[in-house]
Amino acid sequence: MKVSKAGAVAATLAVALTASGCAEDAKEPIAIGIKFDQPGIGFREQDGTFTGFDVDVATYVAKQLGYKANEIEFKQVFSSDRELLIQYNEVDFVAASYSISDKRKEKVDFAGPYFIAHQDLLVRADDASVTKAEDLNSKKLCSVTGSTSAEKVKALAPKASVMELEGYSECLVAVQDGSADAMTTDNSILAGYAARKENTGKFKLIGLSLSNENYGIGVKKGNKELQKKINAALTKMVTDGSWEAAVKKNFGPANYKYEPAPMVTSGN
Ligand code: GLU
């Protein structure tokens, strides 16, 4: 049977409309990778809503790209699978305490940076035995697979006994129950845990600045158009005051002394 082009299009449209119920639903949501277990950064609340600085940044960027908040699908990413999920189109972009690094740039591109954090240590509040990175050489240290923090541990404390877990919330449990003495990652993340109501008085940050972590938004390698659009959105977020409002809202409760907004540098 010979089907005219217009007929074929109409048939496809009819199927699409039937499948989605109505034409307005036809827009695909934008899929954004965030962390689900990092309070103040990327966190899934008990009621299923999402909070945190990365969530606010991602929502702002999505809006600039033409997506309303209810047209966003947040997907959980771990430190170790961010590149992979971008490469396999599981997400359109990742905003997940994701440091821009040369190694990662071999696999993905980054927009940004939009935030600067520093690697630090978190220990139990009553532990006075750790004041600097070298003190970890006789300690059990928890870190997360695939993170820049885990990579730096060997240089910081070569003799530390290191356990690598999937996420920072697991490390926190390990520090609390004594199976680890300390955990290491960005101070922005550690401050968020220490500030949780249920953690009051339990943990402290040492206050070191062991690295500079420039958070970027990861996109598919070669997608220069999206990278450019996200850079424009991030720049706008800073100039219209939304960035400052978002850091205050998300890091204020943790009393975290954040750095000023970095310059967005195109073509990361
Ligand atoms: N910012 C660091 C990184 O991208 C540590 C935080 C994380 O693992 O998400 O690896």
Side-chain angles (χ1 to χ4, degrees), residues 35 38 79 82 96-99 104 144 146-149 168 185-186 189 213 215:
K35 295 292 184 78
Q38 296 177 190
S79 295
R82 291 174 290 199
S97 57
Y98 198 13
S99 299
R104 290 173 180 163
V144 164
S147 66
T148 52
S149 331
Y168 296 104
T185 189
D186 306 340
I189 299 172
E213 304 295 325
Y215 289 5

Side-chain angles (χ1 to χ4, degrees), residues 53-61 64 114 230-247 250 261:
F53 181 63
D54 280 341
V55 172
D56 289 346
V57 169
T59 305
Y60 187 98
V61 167
Q64 299 302 309
Y114 65 91
I230 296 177
N231 275 334
L234 292 173
T235 304
K236 188 166 177 211
M237 188 174 183
V238 175
T239 50
D240 75 6
S242 306
W243 187 93
E244 194 69 27
V247 279
N250 292 294

Side-chain angles (χ1 to χ4, degrees), residues 121-138:
L121 306 172
L122 176 143
V123 296
R124 289 180 293 279
D126 60 359
D127 185 351
S129 67
V130 180
T131 56
K132 52 190 185 308
E134 299 87 85
D135 296 335
L136 297 171
N137 279 316
S138 56

